[in-house]
Amino acid sequence: MSLRIYGIARTRAFRALWMAEELGLVYEHLPIEIGDAGARAPEFLKINPNGRLPFIEDDGFVLFESLAITLYLAKKHSTGKLYPGTLQGEAKAWQWTSWALNEVDRGVNIWSLHAVRLPQAERDAAKRDEALKVVASPFKVLDAALANHPYLLGDDFTVADLNVAAVISRAVDMDLSAVPNLKAWLSRCLERPAARKALALKTKADNETPPEVTRRIAKLNRL
Ligand SMILES: N[C@@H](CCC(=O)N[C@@H](CS)C(=O)NCC(=O)O)C(=O)O
């Protein structure tokens, strides 16, 4: 098998899995866990010295960073469709990708841990409320960007949408009534057949995750 995606679907591996499904690729999914029993085990540190998930091997080519992976796969297999075929379209895809990582990734992650994923008694309301404040203004920016067209770059779904929607996918559980364009777009993206397949893997992994692993996620990532 030429493409291998490493990382249990509960992690940012979800992003790579969604892209692989959009592209209709044949791939092998190795659902390894975070930490010493998984990504930080010597055999995997040899492939990705960061000890984090996800990473891929594509015909022996190794790549880490979830959104570098989605951009790479889209460009390799779908230039002119999922990956913009123009210089400026490409730049916009990079813009939204960097934006998602810098503006909203951490906030949504903290919110979801302290609103949904940690056992109720261990959730920190102050962290949850602070995370909501952190994402409020970038969410307004995203909402405004979606006011006049269905997708970030215009009429068609591209890697820009996948990257941003994948990063904020756990925000579906938030009250998004203040940002209706964002809310409708997020549902539109997550209802795509490829997204649903990747989400099914993610939900299964979420449901099978014991509380001690969720605690470890919060601790390892200082969330
Ligand atoms: N910026 C990286 C972040 C990777 C990351 O932090 N992955 C998490 C799982 S979603 C992880 O492996 N955490 C466990 C650890 O740091 O040991 C990416 O987008 O791939």
Side-chain angles (χ1 to χ4, degrees), residues 9-10 17 27 29 196-206:
R10 185 197 65 236
L17 292 165
Y27 64 93
H29 179 210
R196 290 171 84 103
K197 280 192 195 159
L199 279 170
L201 294 174
K202 178 174 169 157
T203 305
K204 183 169 182 291
D206 271 344

Side-chain angles (χ1 to χ4, degrees), residues 10-12 15 34-35 39-40 51-54 64-67 101 105 220-221:
R10 185 197 65 236
T11 66
R12 289 166 170 85
R15 303 168 185 181
I34 62 163
R40 290 178 190 269
R52 290 181 187 256
L53 299 168
F64 55 77
E65 282 299 324
S66 56
L67 300 188
L101 287 174
D105 195 0
L220 276 174
N221 295 296

Side-chain angles (χ1 to χ4, degrees), residues 181-207:
N181 303 316
L182 184 165
K183 183 179 162 80
W185 162 87
L186 186 57
S187 303
R188 211 156 40 242
C189 293
L190 296 179
E191 276 161 17
R192 295 173 65 82
R196 290 171 84 103
K197 280 192 195 159
L199 279 170
L201 294 174
K202 178 174 169 157
T203 305
K204 183 169 182 291
D206 271 344
N207 292 340

Side-chain angles (χ1 to χ4, degrees), residues 154-173:
D155 289 332
D156 299 315
F157 177 86
T158 68
V159 64
D161 300 287
L162 188 147
N163 283 353
V164 179
V167 165
I168 68 165
S169 60
R170 291 191 186 275
V172 285
D173 297 322

Side-chain angles (χ1 to χ4, degrees), residues 10 12 14 41 72-73 77 84 87 93 95 121 130 133 139 141 155 157 188 203 207 210:
R10 185 197 65 236
R12 289 166 170 85
F14 163 69
Y72 162 77
L73 291 175
H77 297 284
L87 179 65
Q95 169 198 282
E130 179 59 24
K133 279 191 204 147
F139 272 17
V141 170
D155 289 332
F157 177 86
R188 211 156 40 242
T203 305
N207 292 340

